[in-house]
Every structure is written in structure tokens, then in C-alpha cells.
């Protein structure tokens, strides 16, 4: 029975988890970890799955070096096969770990790496990064978020701050009794309403990192990623695969789906209490903005022509116009790297388990993708098959 170690690398602005209480914790890769552990066990393998802590917004160079150090701490404990899975920017981090830093700093680990899987990875960049980098808009927005939140946290011991969170939480609970949908904001409000001193310190430290360094924005611009690709060739004895995502372009139908929580809303749904909930409209508006700025057909985004097999899979999933799709953050055609493991209608966060299927799953974006647990389990089963079913005969 082969033993495996899987390392999950979060993307831009990523974290491992927030919150200490299990029923209030927000976990970046929570559902993915559970799916992997169960899947390896069903296939007769033992596995350890760990989420790698890195800097949320530093350069790919810094993030990948930190990721390697975290991997080396536990990988050195045995001789298990190693697999790296990176979401979004984490896909580029994973490639840099294996191609750049392992040969230099941990060559003894390189021979144990069996696969590198990217999920919604920006392998050819994203025009969204170019938009935020223009006139340093991204840095300004992130610094404002950092300053506002840290200021609030530092005043956290004052009763009025916690009273405000408690009030938002009470309003959220009242909304659920009227049939409103649970959202990420509800999770955050619930967590912040009961922040412990340890949680407060951890969140302040996280946002402090974001406020001091937003170098990753420049690194994800298409031109910079082209340079990265030239400097980061694939290792010949490692299998590379990608999961490609794309969500529907913003539309009136998408807005109605998000307002009602139904794939095919009827007239009765449009006059229900749920349509009074303002949050789905706001979150769908944010998705619409991001999708537009991700500019999947931008001339600055230069991607190689897909192979016949890749093109067939992309057309089967997204249609002939797959080049015009985006998951709301990364253009679909920018995500292909190595073997195309799966292509699925999903937004950027659905694919790691943050989609609407209460009570277990809660969506972070409202994209109208209609991605649910059936699609989630199907994709991650294909990832599992890719990792353990090596074509070259290795276990």
C-alpha cells in the first residue's frame, strides 16, 4: 500500500483557515481535503493532506520559497510520494516549488514528486491583474481594506465594535428565518461577532501582510507570467495536470438565479421573501465586475493553441466560443497546463468547495454556475485518478 502526501497551496489572498470554533471556521480547502482523504482511502492508499501556509500577496518567488519550507518540514518525515495541488496563483507557486526551488534547496525531495495539479491556475496571467495594477489601484484597494480592518480589530476590545458585529449577526439570523440564503458575509459576521483574542491577533497579522506587500498583482499580469513560464520549465519526471473552470457571463438570468437560489426560477419565486435579500444582488454585481475585468478575449493574453484533445474537452464543456469564457477571475484559456484533467462550469471558488448547497456548502461568489456537490465530487475524483493512476506504471 503506497503512502502519499498531498500539499494544498492556496491562491492570491489565500489563507488556510479563519476562526477557531469548528462550526464557525472558514476553511479555504476544507471540502477538498475531505474529498482527497476519502478518495485515497477508497483507492487503497494512505495519505496525509496538508494546507501550506504562505504569504497571501507577496511575489511568486517569495510564496513558492515559503511553500517549499513548509513542505520540507513534513515531507522529510518519511519517503511518501508527493503531490502538489495549487489553486489559482497557487498553481504557479506549485510549479515554481518543483522546477526552481526543490532542485536548489531540497533535491532529495524532487525524485519523490509524482504530480503537480493546478486548479483554475493563471498559467498565462489574467488581465484582471493588469486592471488592478494600473495606476496602483490594486495596492490602494488592498491597503484601504487592511487599514480599515486592522483599525477595527485594534479597537476590538471596545464594546461598541462587538455590538455592531452582534447586531449584523442577529439581522443575518432573522434573514435566514425569512428564507434568505447563507453567504460568505454571514460566515464572516458570525465569526467576527465572537472573535477570541487569538483569532483577532491572527486576522490582524494576515491583513498586515496584505497591507505591506501586494507584489503578486504585478506577477500575475500576462507579460510577467510569460517571463515566469520561460524561467520555469516542467520537470521531466513529474506529471502536470490542470482543472479548468469557466462560469457564465453576467446576465439578467444569472441575477435572477442568484436572487432566488434556483436554477430555473418561476414567477412565484420572483415575488418571494428571498428576492428582498439585497446581498445576492451585491455579490452578483461584484462577480459581474470581476468577470468583465478578467477580459478573457484581451489581446494582451497570449495563450498557446490547445491540443486536439484539449480543444475537444473545452468545446464539449464551454462550446465553440470557449476562448471567451472566464471563471470570474482567470480566463479559461489561461488555465490549461499539462494534461487537461477536467473542464467544468464553475466559478473561481466553486471548484474548491465554496458553492451554494446549504447547509454544508456556502458560496463565496454568486455566478449562476449551478455548480453543486455532484460536479464537485466528479472533478475531484478525476484529480484523484490522475494522481494515483500514473501512466508510466509508478505507484
Amino acid at each position: 500500500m503506497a503512502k502519499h502526501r498531498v500539499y494544498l497551496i492556496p491562491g492570491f489572498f489565500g489563507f488556510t483557515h479563519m476562526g477557531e470554533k469548528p462550526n464557525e471556521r472558514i476553511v479555504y480547502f476544507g471540502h477538498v481535503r475531505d474529498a482527497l482523504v476519502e478518495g485515497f482511502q477508497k483507492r487503497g492508499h494512505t495519505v496525509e493532506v496538508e494546507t501550506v501556509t504562505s504569504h497571501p500577496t507577496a511575489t511568486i518567488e517569495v510564496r513558492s520559497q515559503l511553500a517549499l519550507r513548509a513542505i520540507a518540514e513534513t515531507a522529510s518525515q518519511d519517503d511518501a510520494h508527493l503531490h502538489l495541488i495549487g489553486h489559482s496563483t497557487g498553481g504557479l507557486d506549485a510549479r515554481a516549488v518543483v522546477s526552481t526551488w526543490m532542485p536548489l534547496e531540497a533535491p532529495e525531495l524532487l525524485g519523490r514528486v509524482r504530480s503537480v495539479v493546478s486548479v483554475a491556475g493563471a498559467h498565462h496571467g489574467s488581465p484582471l491583474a493588469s486592471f488592478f495594477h494600473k495606476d496602483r489601484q490594486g495596492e490602494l484597494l488592498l491597503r484601504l481594506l487592511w487599514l480599515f480592518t486592522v483599525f477595527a480589530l485594534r479597537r476590538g476590545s471596545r464594546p461598541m465594535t462587538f455590538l455592531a458585529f452582534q447586531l449584523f449577526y442577529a439581522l443575518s439570523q432573522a434573514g435566514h428565518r425569512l428564507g434568505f440564503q447563507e453567504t460568505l458575509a454571514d460566515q464572516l459576521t458570525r465569526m467576527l461577532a465572537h472573535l477570541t483574542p487569538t483569532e483577532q491577533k491572527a486576522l490582524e497579522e494576515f491583513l498586515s501582510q496584505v497591507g505591506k506587500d501586494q507584489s503578486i498583482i504585478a506577477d500575475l499580469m500576462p507579460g510577467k507570467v510569460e517571463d515566469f513560464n520561460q524561467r520555469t520549465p516542467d520537470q521531466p519526471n513529474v506529471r502536470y495536470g490542470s482543472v479548468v473552470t469557466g462560469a457564465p457571463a453576467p446576465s439578467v438570468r444569472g441575477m435572477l438565479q442568484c436572487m432566488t437560489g434556483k436554477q430555473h426560477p418561476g414567477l412565484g419565486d420572483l415575488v418571494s421573501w428571498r428576492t428582498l435579500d439585497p446581498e445576492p444582488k451585491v455579490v452578483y454585481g461584484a462577480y459581474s465586475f470581476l468577470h468583465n475585468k478578467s477580459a478573457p478575449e484581451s489581446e494582451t493574453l497570449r495563450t498557446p493553441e490547445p491540443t486536439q484533445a484539449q480543444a475537444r474537452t473545452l468545446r464539449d464543456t464551454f462550446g465553440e466560443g470557449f476562448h471567451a469564457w472566464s471563471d470570474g477571475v482567470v480566463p479559461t484559456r489561461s488555465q490549461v497546463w499539462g494534461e487537461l484533467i477536467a473542464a467544468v462550469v464553475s466559478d473561481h471558488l466553486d471548484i474548491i468547495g465554496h458553492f451554494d448547497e446549504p447547509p454544508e456548502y456556502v458560496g463565496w461568489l454568486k455566478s449562476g454556475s449551478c455548480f453543486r456537490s455532484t460536479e464537485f465530487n466528479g472533478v475531484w475524483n478525476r484529480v484523484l485518478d490522475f494522481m494515483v493512476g500514473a501512466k508510466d506504471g509508478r505507484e
Side-chain angles (χ1 to χ4, degrees):
M1 180 183 293
K3 182 172 182 178
H4 301 259
R5 286 187 177 273
V6 180
Y7 294 93
L8 305 175
I9 305 177
F12 167 68
F13 214 62
F15 52 89
T16 55
H17 69 273
M18 291 185 182
E20 294 177 345
K21 299 177 182 178
N23 63 323
E24 296 178 3
R25 186 177 297 162
I26 303 173
V27 182
Y28 191 94
F29 279 115
H31 298 294
V32 172
R33 183 190 181 281
D34 295 342
L36 292 174
V37 170
E38 181 180 355
F40 270 101
Q41 291 174 347
K42 285 183 176 179
R43 288 163 174 79
H45 299 272
T46 59
V47 67
E48 296 286 340
V49 181
E50 302 177 33
T51 301
V52 173
T53 302
S54 185
H55 192 295
T57 52
T59 62
I60 294 173
E61 178 178 352
V62 169
R63 285 167 52 96
S64 56
Q65 284 183 301
L66 291 172
L68 175 59
R69 292 171 193 167
I71 291 169
E73 286 183 7
T74 55
S76 59
Q77 297 174 7
D78 52 37
D79 60 353
H81 299 325
L82 307 180
H83 306 270
L84 280 64
I85 299 178
H87 173 247
S88 191
T89 309
L92 279 69
D93 295 335
R95 288 173 49 207
V97 166
V98 174
S99 294
T100 303
W101 302 115
M102 269 191 184
L104 293 174
E105 299 184 11
E108 70 282 0
L109 298 181
L110 183 59
R112 292 165 50 194
V113 177
R114 293 295 181 262
S115 67
V116 172
V117 176
S118 63
V119 179
H123 294 292
H124 302 281
S126 175
L128 182 63
S130 303
F131 168 76
F132 279 122
H133 190 260
K134 183 180 179 181
D135 299 326
R136 306 189 73 84
Q137 292 180 67
E139 179 178 347
L140 176 61
L141 289 172
L142 290 173
R143 283 191 178 275
L144 287 174
L145 172 64
W146 169 64
L147 290 171
F148 174 80
T149 309
V150 171
F151 176 74
L153 290 173
R154 285 178 173 165
R155 295 168 60 91
S157 59
R158 301 190 180 185
M160 287 303 295
T161 303
F162 285 105
L163 180 61
F165 285 130
Q166 291 284 1
L167 176 60
F168 282 124
Y169 181 49
L171 290 173
S172 172
Q173 292 300 103
H176 296 326
R177 286 192 289 272
L178 292 174
F180 294 172
Q181 301 175 65
E182 169 119 345
T183 64
L184 174 63
D186 294 322
Q187 286 187 306
L188 288 171
T189 300
R190 183 168 59 244
M191 184 187 75
L192 293 173
H194 305 95
L195 273 180
T196 66
T198 302
E199 292 170 335
Q200 185 174 339
K201 181 179 179 181
L203 187 56
E204 182 174 336
E205 181 179 348
F206 173 82
L207 291 166
S208 176
Q209 288 181 310
V210 173
K212 292 176 182 177
D213 188 353
Q214 303 87 28
S215 305
I216 192 62
I217 295 176
D219 272 8
L220 292 176
M221 295 168 59
K224 292 293 291 290
V225 181
E226 282 188 45
D227 294 339
F228 170 83
N229 289 338
Q230 292 177 2
R231 301 192 311 269
T232 316
D234 289 350
Q235 289 288 346
N237 295 320
V238 176
R239 300 184 68 213
Y240 291 81
S242 53
V243 174
V244 173
T245 55
S251 65
V252 174
R253 180 184 179 184
M255 171 69 82
L256 294 177
Q257 288 174 330
C258 291
M259 288 170 55
T260 62
K262 295 186 177 182
Q263 184 173 357
H264 303 290
L267 183 60
D269 299 313
L270 301 180
V271 294
S272 70
W273 281 104
R274 298 183 71 172
T275 60
L276 299 178
D277 185 358
E279 189 150 337
K281 304 181 186 68
V282 174
V283 178
Y284 189 77
Y287 165 74
S288 300
F289 173 80
L290 292 171
H291 191 285
N292 178 52
K293 296 304 179 183
S294 69
E297 296 187 273
S298 170
E299 294 182 357
T300 66
L301 182 64
R302 292 185 286 270
T303 58
E305 285 296 317
T307 65
Q308 288 186 353
Q310 290 171 345
R312 183 166 55 250
T313 300
L314 293 171
R315 283 195 299 268
D316 288 347
T317 305
F318 307 112
E320 292 293 334
F322 63 82
H323 58 278
W325 280 66
S326 163
D327 65 8
V329 176
V330 180
T332 296
R333 62 190 175 101
S334 182
Q335 300 176 28
V336 180
W337 194 269
E339 183 176 331
L340 207 171
I341 300 171
V344 62
V345 176
S346 158
D347 66 43
H348 198 64
L349 298 175
D350 286 337
I351 196 66
I352 54 172
H354 303 298
F355 53 87
D356 286 321
E357 194 173 309
E360 185 177 1
Y361 301 94
V362 178
W364 291 15
L365 286 177
K366 300 287 184 184
S367 64
S369 68
C370 300
F371 186 89
R372 297 294 184 267
S373 57
T374 299
E375 289 77 18
F376 177 81
N377 293 328
V379 168
W380 286 101
N381 270 314
R382 295 182 69 173
V383 173
L384 281 155
D385 289 340
F386 176 83
M387 290 192 292
V388 303
K391 291 181 179 179
D392 59 5
R394 292 179 298 178
E395 279 288 320

